[in-house]
Amino acid sequence: MRVTLQVLKGIARIRLRAIHGEIPYTIGISILDAKQLKNRILLTLTGPDYTCFKFPDGIRTPLHTSAPGKTLVAFTPEPERTRIIDSLVYVPLTSRTIRDSRNYRRCLDELERRGYALDIDEEITGCRCGGVPILDREGHAVAALFLSGVSSRLSEANILKAVRILQSAAVGIEADLYRYLYGRGPRVRRQSPFTRAIIAKMRTCIPSPAPLRSFVDTRHVSYSTARLVFKADTGL
């Protein structure tokens, strides 16, 4: 998926503003800086609390500690994923920082299975973060959405609740990007990667009904959100 950073930021800004009132923490979008091996923050919206963190646009954070950094690497295609894992310097920033490639790879494999990343005091003591991928149609990360807040106010239950909201926003951004890229010609289907995955699942189940509720659960999106995205893409 090839889009300019200006387009990506513009689409993300609309989606993030739409959920800003639902997540009382700092939220934002970042991309992978493969040359510097960093997570590059493109845009953030600071939460209403005076304790919320502020990140300047363009700041770069470590890939082995930050939730969006882990997310971007986890959904990077091979062999680039292995190159990044083997090239990183695992600097310990707190007592909970991952310190070697073996444990980092295990963390990324688990992240890929569950669909979201966590940073529990790994980069900054007293700071917790969550991250989710924005995927292309091959299932590779275009960018990552993240949330960040102080540990005393961001329990694991609160992180997971906010992550679900971020995942819905990520699906919306995927759909917006595909409409922007492919929605101008009359012969091109206006379908997000999520909708394509649902249709592919339906085809494998013909003539029996497709178990869509359980399938949607594996994509870490609520069934109601799945219905809205599918209808927006197909009209059905």
Side-chain angles (χ1 to χ4, degrees):
M1 183 186 294
R2 295 182 178 275
V3 294
T4 65
L5 294 185
Q6 183 178 4
V7 169
L8 181 59
K9 287 177 66 173
I11 290 174
R13 182 179 286 109
I14 294 172
R15 291 287 181 174
L16 289 175
R17 283 178 176 171
I19 63 171
H20 197 205
E22 301 179 62
I23 301 180
Y25 317 107
T26 297
I27 57 177
I29 182 172
S30 62
I31 60 171
L32 176 65
D33 185 335
K35 291 184 179 180
Q36 295 192 28
L37 297 179
K38 294 287 186 179
N39 168 65
R40 178 185 171 190
I41 295 176
L42 294 182
L43 168 73
T44 59
L45 299 179
T46 304
D49 200 319
Y50 72 94
T51 61
C52 284
F53 293 95
K54 295 182 180 180
F55 303 102
D57 293 353
I59 193 170
R60 290 166 171 81
T61 64
L63 293 175
H64 69 295
T65 57
S66 64
K70 294 176 187 175
T71 301
L72 292 166
V73 179
F75 291 92
T76 293
E78 294 288 1
E80 178 67 5
R81 185 177 191 254
T82 293
R83 183 193 74 82
I84 292 172
I85 293 172
D86 293 341
S87 300
L88 284 178
V89 178
Y90 296 88
V91 178
L93 300 181
T94 75
S95 62
R96 304 194 64 166
T97 300
I98 295 172
R99 304 188 181 204
D100 59 77
S101 60
R102 183 177 181 182
N103 284 319
Y104 188 53
R105 188 182 297 276
R106 287 177 178 173
C107 172
L108 299 184
D109 289 343
E110 174 60 26
L111 187 169
E112 191 174 12
R113 284 192 293 270
R114 72 186 180 210
Y116 62 89
L118 296 176
D119 161 15
I120 307 297
D121 300 278
E122 295 175 46
E123 185 170 327
I124 302 173
T125 300
C127 174
R128 295 183 175 184
C129 304
V132 302
I134 298 170
L135 301 174
D136 63 18
R137 55 187 170 184
E138 283 77 38
H140 302 146
V142 175
L145 297 183
F146 66 89
L147 66 104
S148 181
V150 295
S151 299
S152 60
R153 304 194 183 200
L154 196 55
S155 66
E156 191 161 339
N158 287 339
I159 292 179
L160 295 179
K161 181 180 178 181
V163 159
R164 297 302 182 192
I165 299 172
L166 282 184
Q167 287 171 329
S168 296
V171 170
I173 292 172
E174 289 172 2
D176 292 341
L177 289 173
Y178 270 77
R179 277 191 285 269
Y180 173 83
L181 288 171
Y182 305 120
R184 298 181 180 181
R187 297 182 180 179
V188 181
R189 295 181 179 178
R190 302 186 178 189
Q191 294 175 356
S192 66
F194 182 76
T195 296
R196 290 176 185 270
I198 290 180
I199 292 174
K201 181 65 176 178
M202 289 177 172
R203 287 173 176 162
T204 65
C205 297
I206 294 173
S208 302
L212 292 182
R213 285 187 181 273
S214 58
F215 176 72
V216 166
D217 287 342
T218 67
R219 306 286 291 189
H220 312 290
V221 178
S222 69
Y223 190 68
S224 59
T225 298
R227 292 182 61 182
L228 289 173
V229 173
F230 188 85
K231 185 174 182 179
D233 283 353
T234 67
L236 302 173

mmCIF file of all heavy atoms in Angstrom, residues 117-140:
data_model
loop_
_atom_site.group_PDB
_atom_site.id
_atom_site.type_symbol
_atom_site.label_atom_id
_atom_site.label_comp_id
_atom_site.label_asym_id
_atom_site.label_seq_id
_atom_site.Cartn_x
_atom_site.Cartn_y
_atom_site.Cartn_z
ATOM 1 N N ALA A 117 -0.372 -4.993 20.969
ATOM 2 C CA ALA A 117 0.864 -4.964 21.756
ATOM 3 C C ALA A 117 0.639 -4.213 23.060
ATOM 4 O O ALA A 117 -0.221 -3.323 23.146
ATOM 5 C CB ALA A 117 1.980 -4.292 20.967
ATOM 6 N N LEU A 118 1.434 -4.567 24.055
ATOM 7 C CA LEU A 118 1.410 -3.870 25.336
ATOM 8 C C LEU A 118 2.816 -3.438 25.711
ATOM 9 O O LEU A 118 3.798 -4.111 25.401
ATOM 10 C CB LEU A 118 0.853 -4.781 26.445
ATOM 11 C CG LEU A 118 -0.593 -5.236 26.311
ATOM 12 C CD1 LEU A 118 -0.931 -6.208 27.444
ATOM 13 C CD2 LEU A 118 -1.548 -4.063 26.308
ATOM 14 N N ASP A 119 2.897 -2.302 26.365
ATOM 15 C CA ASP A 119 4.142 -1.830 26.978
ATOM 16 C C ASP A 119 3.795 -1.509 28.422
ATOM 17 O O ASP A 119 3.175 -0.482 28.705
ATOM 18 C CB ASP A 119 4.669 -0.601 26.232
ATOM 19 C CG ASP A 119 5.677 0.211 27.046
ATOM 20 O OD1 ASP A 119 6.189 -0.305 28.056
ATOM 21 O OD2 ASP A 119 5.935 1.370 26.673
ATOM 22 N N ILE A 120 4.162 -2.411 29.328
ATOM 23 C CA ILE A 120 3.856 -2.230 30.745
ATOM 24 C C ILE A 120 5.132 -1.797 31.460
ATOM 25 O O ILE A 120 5.943 -2.629 31.900
ATOM 26 C CB ILE A 120 3.295 -3.530 31.374
ATOM 27 C CG1 ILE A 120 2.121 -4.063 30.562
ATOM 28 C CG2 ILE A 120 2.895 -3.292 32.824
ATOM 29 C CD1 ILE A 120 0.931 -3.129 30.519
ATOM 30 N N ASP A 121 5.356 -0.493 31.522
ATOM 31 C CA ASP A 121 6.542 0.075 32.189
ATOM 32 C C ASP A 121 7.853 -0.426 31.576
ATOM 33 O O ASP A 121 8.856 -0.548 32.279
ATOM 34 C CB ASP A 121 6.513 -0.256 33.690
ATOM 35 C CG ASP A 121 5.287 0.293 34.392
ATOM 36 O OD1 ASP A 121 5.292 1.483 34.747
ATOM 37 O OD2 ASP A 121 4.321 -0.473 34.569
ATOM 38 N N GLU A 122 7.872 -0.707 30.270
ATOM 39 C CA GLU A 122 9.075 -1.227 29.637
ATOM 40 C C GLU A 122 9.977 -0.127 29.085
ATOM 41 O O GLU A 122 11.194 -0.312 28.976
ATOM 42 C CB GLU A 122 8.696 -2.179 28.505
ATOM 43 C CG GLU A 122 7.976 -3.437 28.975
ATOM 44 C CD GLU A 122 7.520 -4.295 27.816
ATOM 45 O OE1 GLU A 122 8.330 -4.512 26.892
ATOM 46 O OE2 GLU A 122 6.362 -4.749 27.818
ATOM 47 N N GLU A 123 9.378 0.985 28.709
ATOM 48 C CA GLU A 123 10.169 2.090 28.150
ATOM 49 C C GLU A 123 10.396 3.191 29.171
ATOM 50 O O GLU A 123 11.492 3.749 29.284
ATOM 51 C CB GLU A 123 9.455 2.657 26.917
ATOM 52 C CG GLU A 123 10.248 3.732 26.201
ATOM 53 C CD GLU A 123 9.616 4.092 24.862
ATOM 54 O OE1 GLU A 123 9.027 3.215 24.218
ATOM 55 O OE2 GLU A 123 9.727 5.265 24.471
ATOM 56 N N ILE A 124 9.343 3.520 29.922
ATOM 57 C CA ILE A 124 9.413 4.542 30.974
ATOM 58 C C ILE A 124 8.695 3.989 32.202
ATOM 59 O O ILE A 124 7.546 3.553 32.102
ATOM 60 C CB ILE A 124 8.738 5.852 30.538
ATOM 61 C CG1 ILE A 124 9.376 6.401 29.261
ATOM 62 C CG2 ILE A 124 8.803 6.889 31.649
ATOM 63 C CD1 ILE A 124 8.635 7.597 28.682
ATOM 64 N N THR A 125 9.347 3.990 33.330
ATOM 65 C CA THR A 125 8.699 3.541 34.556
ATOM 66 C C THR A 125 7.530 4.470 34.868
ATOM 67 O O THR A 125 7.680 5.693 34.886
ATOM 68 C CB THR A 125 9.698 3.540 35.725
ATOM 69 O OG1 THR A 125 10.772 2.651 35.416
ATOM 70 C CG2 THR A 125 9.018 3.082 37.003
ATOM 71 N N GLY A 126 6.356 3.871 35.069
ATOM 72 C CA GLY A 126 5.163 4.670 35.345
ATOM 73 C C GLY A 126 4.345 4.985 34.112
ATOM 74 O O GLY A 126 3.353 5.698 34.197
ATOM 75 N N CYS A 127 4.736 4.435 32.956
ATOM 76 C CA CYS A 127 4.007 4.667 31.704
ATOM 77 C C CYS A 127 3.599 3.339 31.091
ATOM 78 O O CYS A 127 4.403 2.407 31.018
ATOM 79 C CB CYS A 127 4.877 5.449 30.725
ATOM 80 S SG CYS A 127 4.152 5.657 29.076
ATOM 81 N N ARG A 128 2.349 3.266 30.637
ATOM 82 C CA ARG A 128 1.848 2.070 29.968
ATOM 83 C C ARG A 128 1.254 2.447 28.619
ATOM 84 O O ARG A 128 0.670 3.523 28.478
ATOM 85 C CB ARG A 128 0.793 1.366 30.834
ATOM 86 C CG ARG A 128 1.368 0.825 32.127
ATOM 87 C CD ARG A 128 0.338 0.061 32.938
ATOM 88 N NE ARG A 128 0.958 -0.554 34.109
ATOM 89 C CZ ARG A 128 0.324 -1.335 34.959
ATOM 90 N NH1 ARG A 128 -0.964 -1.599 34.785
ATOM 91 N NH2 ARG A 128 0.963 -1.860 35.988
ATOM 92 N N CYS A 129 1.402 1.537 27.645
ATOM 93 C CA CYS A 129 0.938 1.809 26.286
ATOM 94 C C CYS A 129 0.303 0.569 25.669
ATOM 95 O O CYS A 129 0.566 -0.552 26.096
ATOM 96 C CB CYS A 129 2.098 2.254 25.394
ATOM 97 S SG CYS A 129 3.016 3.676 25.995
ATOM 98 N N GLY A 130 -0.515 0.784 24.662
ATOM 99 C CA GLY A 130 -1.069 -0.288 23.848
ATOM 100 C C GLY A 130 -0.944 0.099 22.392
ATOM 101 O O GLY A 130 -0.929 1.289 22.053
ATOM 102 N N GLY A 131 -0.833 -0.903 21.517
ATOM 103 C CA GLY A 131 -0.696 -0.620 20.090
ATOM 104 C C GLY A 131 -1.409 -1.640 19.233
ATOM 105 O O GLY A 131 -1.493 -2.819 19.606
ATOM 106 N N VAL A 132 -1.958 -1.193 18.097
ATOM 107 C CA VAL A 132 -2.636 -2.084 17.149
ATOM 108 C C VAL A 132 -2.186 -1.735 15.733
ATOM 109 O O VAL A 132 -1.847 -0.583 15.449
ATOM 110 C CB VAL A 132 -4.179 -1.961 17.241
ATOM 111 C CG1 VAL A 132 -4.663 -2.274 18.642
ATOM 112 C CG2 VAL A 132 -4.651 -0.571 16.825
ATOM 113 N N PRO A 133 -2.173 -2.720 14.828
ATOM 114 C CA PRO A 133 -1.683 -2.458 13.469
ATOM 115 C C PRO A 133 -2.765 -1.931 12.533
ATOM 116 O O PRO A 133 -3.950 -2.224 12.693
ATOM 117 C CB PRO A 133 -1.212 -3.836 13.010
ATOM 118 C CG PRO A 133 -2.151 -4.791 13.692
ATOM 119 C CD PRO A 133 -2.432 -4.167 15.038
ATOM 120 N N ILE A 134 -2.342 -1.163 11.554
ATOM 121 C CA ILE A 134 -3.136 -0.832 10.376
ATOM 122 C C ILE A 134 -2.521 -1.648 9.245
ATOM 123 O O ILE A 134 -1.348 -1.475 8.921
ATOM 124 C CB ILE A 134 -3.064 0.669 10.050
ATOM 125 C CG1 ILE A 134 -3.640 1.492 11.206
ATOM 126 C CG2 ILE A 134 -3.798 0.987 8.748
ATOM 127 C CD1 ILE A 134 -3.386 2.977 11.084
ATOM 128 N N LEU A 135 -3.298 -2.568 8.672
ATOM 129 C CA LEU A 135 -2.747 -3.582 7.777
ATOM 130 C C LEU A 135 -3.081 -3.329 6.310
ATOM 131 O O LEU A 135 -4.130 -2.749 5.994
ATOM 132 C CB LEU A 135 -3.282 -4.961 8.174
ATOM 133 C CG LEU A 135 -2.985 -5.412 9.604
ATOM 134 C CD1 LEU A 135 -3.696 -6.735 9.886
ATOM 135 C CD2 LEU A 135 -1.488 -5.544 9.836
ATOM 136 N N ASP A 136 -2.195 -3.804 5.421
ATOM 137 C CA ASP A 136 -2.505 -3.827 4.006
ATOM 138 C C ASP A 136 -3.192 -5.156 3.679
ATOM 139 O O ASP A 136 -3.456 -5.971 4.572
ATOM 140 C CB ASP A 136 -1.246 -3.611 3.158
ATOM 141 C CG ASP A 136 -0.197 -4.707 3.336
ATOM 142 O OD1 ASP A 136 -0.538 -5.805 3.837
ATOM 143 O OD2 ASP A 136 0.969 -4.476 2.975
ATOM 144 N N ARG A 137 -3.496 -5.409 2.413
ATOM 145 C CA ARG A 137 -4.277 -6.597 2.079
ATOM 146 C C ARG A 137 -3.473 -7.884 2.213
ATOM 147 O O ARG A 137 -4.051 -8.973 2.190
ATOM 148 C CB ARG A 137 -4.846 -6.480 0.664
ATOM 149 C CG ARG A 137 -3.834 -6.206 -0.421
ATOM 150 C CD ARG A 137 -4.541 -5.937 -1.732
ATOM 151 N NE ARG A 137 -3.623 -5.440 -2.748
ATOM 152 C CZ ARG A 137 -3.996 -5.062 -3.953
ATOM 153 N NH1 ARG A 137 -5.260 -5.145 -4.296
ATOM 154 N NH2 ARG A 137 -3.127 -4.596 -4.822
ATOM 155 N N GLU A 138 -2.149 -7.783 2.393
ATOM 156 C CA GLU A 138 -1.333 -8.965 2.654
ATOM 157 C C GLU A 138 -1.162 -9.224 4.148
ATOM 158 O O GLU A 138 -0.502 -10.174 4.549
ATOM 159 C CB GLU A 138 0.054 -8.817 2.021
ATOM 160 C CG GLU A 138 0.085 -9.053 0.513
ATOM 161 C CD GLU A 138 -0.458 -7.861 -0.259
ATOM 162 O OE1 GLU A 138 -0.181 -6.712 0.157
ATOM 163 O OE2 GLU A 138 -1.164 -8.068 -1.262
ATOM 164 N N GLY A 139 -1.754 -8.359 4.971
ATOM 165 C CA GLY A 139 -1.638 -8.529 6.414
ATOM 166 C C GLY A 139 -0.377 -7.934 7.003
ATOM 167 O O GLY A 139 0.016 -8.287 8.122
ATOM 168 N N HIS A 140 0.279 -7.008 6.286
ATOM 169 C CA HIS A 140 1.488 -6.355 6.767
ATOM 170 C C HIS A 140 1.164 -4.945 7.255
ATOM 171 O O HIS A 140 0.252 -4.295 6.737
ATOM 172 C CB HIS A 140 2.540 -6.302 5.663
ATOM 173 C CG HIS A 140 2.907 -7.651 5.135
ATOM 174 N ND1 HIS A 140 3.237 -7.880 3.811
ATOM 175 C CD2 HIS A 140 2.981 -8.863 5.745
ATOM 176 C CE1 HIS A 140 3.504 -9.156 3.637
ATOM 177 N NE2 HIS A 140 3.350 -9.777 4.796
#
